[in-house]
Amino acid sequence: MKKLTSLLALSAACIAAPSQADPLQDAVKADLPSLTAIYRDLHAHPELSFKEGRSAGIMAAEAKKAGFEVTSGVGGTGVVAVLRNGPGPVLLLRADMDALPVAEQTGLPYASQTPGVMHACGHDTHMASWIGTARRMAAMKGDWSGTLVMIGQPAEEIGSGARAMLKDGLYTRFPKPSTVIAFHDSAALPAGTIGIVDGYAMANVDSVDIVVKGEGGHGAYPHLAKDPIVIASRIVSTLQTLISREIDPLESGVVTVGSFQAGTKHNIIPPEARLQITVRSYKPEVRQHLLDGIARIAKGEAIAGGMPDDKLPVVTLADQRTPATFNTHEITARMTDVFAARFGKDRVVPARAQMGGEDFSEYYLADTSAQALLLWVGGVRKDKWDAAGGDITKLPSIHSPFWAPDADAVISTAVEAMTTAALTVLKK
């Protein structure tokens, strides 16, 4: 195994090690002004989930110009660009396109022109990097063999876009990939740094709604009512024991009650209370234990509160969920070596798994024989990183109205990294 790892590292160095005159690096640098202009245009014109028509049009036009076969409208507003270049593997590269319902407060001269909508998650850097990678791969066709499938995906922010594209025939109408790769900008890494995690990278995301029933009445006479607020409060408190007392301390999980709604007036005991809960996990068995535990605790606290069988809580699991994102070991280890050889070990760091969700996971789960990798590209400007002493609690996070990545560093690093990854997978 050690010998194989050494050979992979040597192979990676031969493929990717930059010389003093680095054609890829030089080409990315020359292309950066054009990509920055595209990024700023996309940033100024953000579009919400499944409404990314303008953004998709820009990506489709650029892919066509580079020589790709382009199909628009896949899964709603999705774009599929295919470049066939002889025999070999099929590689899929993804960029997501949607923005968030956030009012921008960055003060950038190219800030959002759409009130209440912002690229607060950096998908504009993803799209610009996608275009740059498409240009580089088209220009370097002599260096690789196989089929490159590049997709612009809608609706990542609501966890629906990947499923929509797959449902619309992504793996049947177009070449089916043996490897899928994507990147995401990071507000937790200095600009130009690449972060990689082996194994689970992002969490299962489930949403649970609970309607807690009671018997309404006058606040002055609580003995004549059954107070759903008290029952719901007990449910909230007992839910905390799911993680602290029922899940192996070496496993990970989150149960957060994000909304507690009940009542209309000081002196009225309402007939019901409503809870909205987000549940995060990695492993399927942990996820199921948490979901089962929520239902059990809700029922148990209602019974303890004296509610009859016909008035027990109604627990509903939302249809929309985001499965955990899993980076397969083979491609993760290979790209870690390749990136270290190209960028230097100081710029390639082990990343931590996150409890956020990413529907990039769907492409691997649709065919688990494929290799999959989601990596991070740091976006925090050096001066801000240094001022914060690397303490990310002092910096804006993604989804913040103040998040403004060092776009040039993100785009140039991502184009070089994604092109390098593609050339490695599709090596002649």
Side-chain angles (χ1 to χ4, degrees), residues 5-34:
T5 303
S6 300
L7 288 173
L8 284 173
L10 179 60
S11 173
C14 293
I15 295 169
S19 60
Q20 288 184 339
D22 186 335
L24 174 57
Q25 208 170 70
D26 292 344
V28 172
K29 184 177 180 180
D31 203 19
L32 189 57
S34 168

mmCIF file of all heavy atoms in Angstrom, residues 5-34:
data_model
loop_
_atom_site.group_PDB
_atom_site.id
_atom_site.type_symbol
_atom_site.label_atom_id
_atom_site.label_comp_id
_atom_site.label_asym_id
_atom_site.label_seq_id
_atom_site.Cartn_x
_atom_site.Cartn_y
_atom_site.Cartn_z
ATOM 1 N N THR A 5 1.043 4.228 -2.784
ATOM 2 C CA THR A 5 0.897 5.643 -2.457
ATOM 3 C C THR A 5 2.071 6.446 -2.982
ATOM 4 O O THR A 5 1.921 7.544 -3.526
ATOM 5 C CB THR A 5 0.782 5.823 -0.932
ATOM 6 O OG1 THR A 5 -0.312 5.048 -0.473
ATOM 7 C CG2 THR A 5 0.565 7.285 -0.563
ATOM 8 N N SER A 6 3.285 5.877 -2.858
ATOM 9 C CA SER A 6 4.477 6.566 -3.364
ATOM 10 C C SER A 6 4.431 6.723 -4.866
ATOM 11 O O SER A 6 4.796 7.761 -5.411
ATOM 12 C CB SER A 6 5.732 5.788 -2.948
ATOM 13 O OG SER A 6 5.823 5.699 -1.555
ATOM 14 N N LEU A 7 3.980 5.672 -5.549
ATOM 15 C CA LEU A 7 3.875 5.746 -7.004
ATOM 16 C C LEU A 7 2.860 6.785 -7.438
ATOM 17 O O LEU A 7 3.076 7.523 -8.397
ATOM 18 C CB LEU A 7 3.488 4.373 -7.558
ATOM 19 C CG LEU A 7 4.578 3.303 -7.518
ATOM 20 C CD1 LEU A 7 4.001 1.950 -7.925
ATOM 21 C CD2 LEU A 7 5.744 3.681 -8.424
ATOM 22 N N LEU A 8 1.727 6.843 -6.698
ATOM 23 C CA LEU A 8 0.708 7.851 -7.017
ATOM 24 C C LEU A 8 1.265 9.253 -6.817
ATOM 25 O O LEU A 8 1.025 10.151 -7.614
ATOM 26 C CB LEU A 8 -0.529 7.649 -6.140
ATOM 27 C CG LEU A 8 -1.442 6.484 -6.512
ATOM 28 C CD1 LEU A 8 -2.516 6.301 -5.451
ATOM 29 C CD2 LEU A 8 -2.071 6.709 -7.880
ATOM 30 N N ALA A 9 2.029 9.435 -5.724
ATOM 31 C CA ALA A 9 2.612 10.747 -5.453
ATOM 32 C C ALA A 9 3.603 11.132 -6.545
ATOM 33 O O ALA A 9 3.634 12.279 -7.006
ATOM 34 C CB ALA A 9 3.294 10.744 -4.085
ATOM 35 N N LEU A 10 4.437 10.158 -6.964
ATOM 36 C CA LEU A 10 5.406 10.419 -8.021
ATOM 37 C C LEU A 10 4.704 10.752 -9.321
ATOM 38 O O LEU A 10 5.069 11.693 -10.025
ATOM 39 C CB LEU A 10 6.300 9.190 -8.197
ATOM 40 C CG LEU A 10 7.383 9.287 -9.292
ATOM 41 C CD1 LEU A 10 8.320 10.450 -8.996
ATOM 42 C CD2 LEU A 10 8.157 7.975 -9.397
ATOM 43 N N SER A 11 3.644 9.968 -9.629
ATOM 44 C CA SER A 11 2.860 10.229 -10.835
ATOM 45 C C SER A 11 2.250 11.605 -10.797
ATOM 46 O O SER A 11 2.260 12.341 -11.780
ATOM 47 C CB SER A 11 1.759 9.171 -10.969
ATOM 48 O OG SER A 11 0.909 9.488 -12.032
ATOM 49 N N ALA A 12 1.711 11.983 -9.610
ATOM 50 C CA ALA A 12 1.093 13.297 -9.469
ATOM 51 C C ALA A 12 2.122 14.392 -9.700
ATOM 52 O O ALA A 12 1.846 15.400 -10.362
ATOM 53 C CB ALA A 12 0.474 13.437 -8.071
ATOM 54 N N ALA A 13 3.310 14.201 -9.159
ATOM 55 C CA ALA A 13 4.351 15.213 -9.316
ATOM 56 C C ALA A 13 4.730 15.374 -10.787
ATOM 57 O O ALA A 13 4.938 16.482 -11.279
ATOM 58 C CB ALA A 13 5.581 14.828 -8.476
ATOM 59 N N CYS A 14 4.828 14.243 -11.495
ATOM 60 C CA CYS A 14 5.180 14.298 -12.913
ATOM 61 C C CYS A 14 4.108 15.007 -13.719
ATOM 62 O O CYS A 14 4.413 15.760 -14.653
ATOM 63 C CB CYS A 14 5.374 12.882 -13.455
ATOM 64 S SG CYS A 14 6.814 12.029 -12.767
ATOM 65 N N ILE A 15 2.836 14.773 -13.358
ATOM 66 C CA ILE A 15 1.731 15.389 -14.101
ATOM 67 C C ILE A 15 1.647 16.868 -13.815
ATOM 68 O O ILE A 15 1.479 17.689 -14.696
ATOM 69 C CB ILE A 15 0.394 14.725 -13.712
ATOM 70 C CG1 ILE A 15 0.397 13.271 -14.161
ATOM 71 C CG2 ILE A 15 -0.787 15.455 -14.309
ATOM 72 C CD1 ILE A 15 -0.761 12.478 -13.586
ATOM 73 N N ALA A 16 1.774 17.222 -12.505
ATOM 74 C CA ALA A 16 1.299 18.531 -12.103
ATOM 75 C C ALA A 16 2.380 19.515 -11.675
ATOM 76 O O ALA A 16 2.101 20.683 -11.548
ATOM 77 C CB ALA A 16 0.300 18.369 -10.955
ATOM 78 N N ALA A 17 3.623 19.042 -11.403
ATOM 79 C CA ALA A 17 4.616 19.944 -10.847
ATOM 80 C C ALA A 17 4.897 21.108 -11.797
ATOM 81 O O ALA A 17 5.253 20.910 -12.948
ATOM 82 C CB ALA A 17 5.909 19.171 -10.584
ATOM 83 N N PRO A 18 4.701 22.341 -11.311
ATOM 84 C CA PRO A 18 4.916 23.485 -12.187
ATOM 85 C C PRO A 18 6.393 23.779 -12.384
ATOM 86 O O PRO A 18 7.174 23.722 -11.452
ATOM 87 C CB PRO A 18 4.227 24.621 -11.423
ATOM 88 C CG PRO A 18 4.279 24.197 -9.994
ATOM 89 C CD PRO A 18 4.228 22.720 -9.986
ATOM 90 N N SER A 19 6.781 24.066 -13.588
ATOM 91 C CA SER A 19 8.143 24.491 -13.861
ATOM 92 C C SER A 19 8.174 25.998 -13.765
ATOM 93 O O SER A 19 7.183 26.652 -13.490
ATOM 94 C CB SER A 19 8.554 24.023 -15.258
ATOM 95 O OG SER A 19 7.683 24.596 -16.215
ATOM 96 N N GLN A 20 9.356 26.595 -14.023
ATOM 97 C CA GLN A 20 9.468 28.053 -13.966
ATOM 98 C C GLN A 20 8.539 28.686 -14.989
ATOM 99 O O GLN A 20 7.920 29.713 -14.723
ATOM 100 C CB GLN A 20 10.921 28.463 -14.198
ATOM 101 C CG GLN A 20 11.822 28.135 -13.000
ATOM 102 C CD GLN A 20 13.235 28.630 -13.203
ATOM 103 O OE1 GLN A 20 13.658 28.869 -14.337
ATOM 104 N NE2 GLN A 20 13.983 28.771 -12.120
ATOM 105 N N ALA A 21 8.435 28.080 -16.159
ATOM 106 C CA ALA A 21 7.477 28.537 -17.166
ATOM 107 C C ALA A 21 6.309 27.554 -17.144
ATOM 108 O O ALA A 21 6.427 26.436 -17.611
ATOM 109 C CB ALA A 21 8.136 28.588 -18.540
ATOM 110 N N ASP A 22 5.219 27.961 -16.555
ATOM 111 C CA ASP A 22 4.079 27.079 -16.368
ATOM 112 C C ASP A 22 2.958 27.504 -17.306
ATOM 113 O O ASP A 22 2.274 28.501 -17.058
ATOM 114 C CB ASP A 22 3.620 27.147 -14.911
ATOM 115 C CG ASP A 22 2.524 26.151 -14.590
ATOM 116 O OD1 ASP A 22 1.801 25.754 -15.521
ATOM 117 O OD2 ASP A 22 2.394 25.766 -13.419
ATOM 118 N N PRO A 23 2.741 26.769 -18.408
ATOM 119 C CA PRO A 23 1.736 27.181 -19.393
ATOM 120 C C PRO A 23 0.333 27.328 -18.809
ATOM 121 O O PRO A 23 -0.387 28.263 -19.150
ATOM 122 C CB PRO A 23 1.783 26.060 -20.437
ATOM 123 C CG PRO A 23 3.135 25.451 -20.277
ATOM 124 C CD PRO A 23 3.463 25.562 -18.827
ATOM 125 N N LEU A 24 -0.063 26.393 -17.915
ATOM 126 C CA LEU A 24 -1.401 26.474 -17.332
ATOM 127 C C LEU A 24 -1.531 27.713 -16.459
ATOM 128 O O LEU A 24 -2.502 28.472 -16.568
ATOM 129 C CB LEU A 24 -1.698 25.213 -16.518
ATOM 130 C CG LEU A 24 -3.018 25.230 -15.726
ATOM 131 C CD1 LEU A 24 -4.206 25.489 -16.651
ATOM 132 C CD2 LEU A 24 -3.199 23.929 -14.960
ATOM 133 N N GLN A 25 -0.575 27.915 -15.603
ATOM 134 C CA GLN A 25 -0.613 29.069 -14.714
ATOM 135 C C GLN A 25 -0.620 30.368 -15.513
ATOM 136 O O GLN A 25 -1.366 31.315 -15.204
ATOM 137 C CB GLN A 25 0.592 29.029 -13.781
ATOM 138 C CG GLN A 25 0.383 29.694 -12.444
ATOM 139 C CD GLN A 25 1.531 29.393 -11.502
ATOM 140 O OE1 GLN A 25 2.652 29.874 -11.702
ATOM 141 N NE2 GLN A 25 1.269 28.586 -10.480
ATOM 142 N N ASP A 26 0.195 30.413 -16.558
ATOM 143 C CA ASP A 26 0.259 31.615 -17.398
ATOM 144 C C ASP A 26 -1.064 31.862 -18.116
ATOM 145 O O ASP A 26 -1.528 33.007 -18.229
ATOM 146 C CB ASP A 26 1.390 31.485 -18.428
ATOM 147 C CG ASP A 26 2.776 31.499 -17.786
ATOM 148 O OD1 ASP A 26 2.871 31.907 -16.606
ATOM 149 O OD2 ASP A 26 3.742 31.072 -18.452
ATOM 150 N N ALA A 27 -1.691 30.778 -18.591
ATOM 151 C CA ALA A 27 -2.963 30.916 -19.304
ATOM 152 C C ALA A 27 -4.066 31.395 -18.356
ATOM 153 O O ALA A 27 -4.904 32.229 -18.725
ATOM 154 C CB ALA A 27 -3.353 29.591 -19.944
ATOM 155 N N VAL A 28 -4.082 30.861 -17.139
ATOM 156 C CA VAL A 28 -5.074 31.292 -16.150
ATOM 157 C C VAL A 28 -4.887 32.772 -15.819
ATOM 158 O O VAL A 28 -5.856 33.532 -15.733
ATOM 159 C CB VAL A 28 -4.983 30.431 -14.872
ATOM 160 C CG1 VAL A 28 -5.883 30.994 -13.777
ATOM 161 C CG2 VAL A 28 -5.346 28.982 -15.176
ATOM 162 N N LYS A 29 -3.650 33.164 -15.657
ATOM 163 C CA LYS A 29 -3.350 34.570 -15.342
ATOM 164 C C LYS A 29 -3.811 35.487 -16.474
ATOM 165 O O LYS A 29 -4.399 36.551 -16.239
ATOM 166 C CB LYS A 29 -1.852 34.731 -15.099
ATOM 167 C CG LYS A 29 -1.447 36.138 -14.677
ATOM 168 C CD LYS A 29 0.049 36.208 -14.374
ATOM 169 C CE LYS A 29 0.449 37.614 -13.944
ATOM 170 N NZ LYS A 29 1.915 37.699 -13.640
ATOM 171 N N ALA A 30 -3.572 35.065 -17.704
ATOM 172 C CA ALA A 30 -3.975 35.885 -18.851
ATOM 173 C C ALA A 30 -5.489 35.971 -18.980
ATOM 174 O O ALA A 30 -6.036 36.981 -19.445
ATOM 175 C CB ALA A 30 -3.365 35.304 -20.127
ATOM 176 N N ASP A 31 -6.174 34.923 -18.563
ATOM 177 C CA ASP A 31 -7.633 34.868 -18.694
ATOM 178 C C ASP A 31 -8.353 35.548 -17.533
ATOM 179 O O ASP A 31 -9.558 35.815 -17.610
ATOM 180 C CB ASP A 31 -8.066 33.396 -18.759
ATOM 181 C CG ASP A 31 -9.417 33.205 -19.435
ATOM 182 O OD1 ASP A 31 -9.858 34.116 -20.162
ATOM 183 O OD2 ASP A 31 -10.029 32.144 -19.234
ATOM 184 N N LEU A 32 -7.642 35.831 -16.457
ATOM 185 C CA LEU A 32 -8.278 36.310 -15.233
ATOM 186 C C LEU A 32 -9.062 37.617 -15.412
ATOM 187 O O LEU A 32 -10.175 37.727 -14.866
ATOM 188 C CB LEU A 32 -7.244 36.449 -14.116
ATOM 189 C CG LEU A 32 -7.806 36.737 -12.724
ATOM 190 C CD1 LEU A 32 -8.792 35.652 -12.298
ATOM 191 C CD2 LEU A 32 -6.671 36.855 -11.707
ATOM 192 N N PRO A 33 -8.567 38.614 -16.145
ATOM 193 C CA PRO A 33 -9.379 39.835 -16.304
ATOM 194 C C PRO A 33 -10.750 39.564 -16.909
ATOM 195 O O PRO A 33 -11.757 40.136 -16.472
ATOM 196 C CB PRO A 33 -8.519 40.707 -17.218
ATOM 197 C CG PRO A 33 -7.118 40.250 -16.965
ATOM 198 C CD PRO A 33 -7.225 38.775 -16.745
ATOM 199 N N SER A 34 -10.807 38.681 -17.901
ATOM 200 C CA SER A 34 -12.087 38.336 -18.513
ATOM 201 C C SER A 34 -12.992 37.612 -17.513
ATOM 202 O O SER A 34 -14.193 37.917 -17.408
ATOM 203 C CB SER A 34 -11.865 37.439 -19.738
ATOM 204 O OG SER A 34 -13.080 36.878 -20.185
#
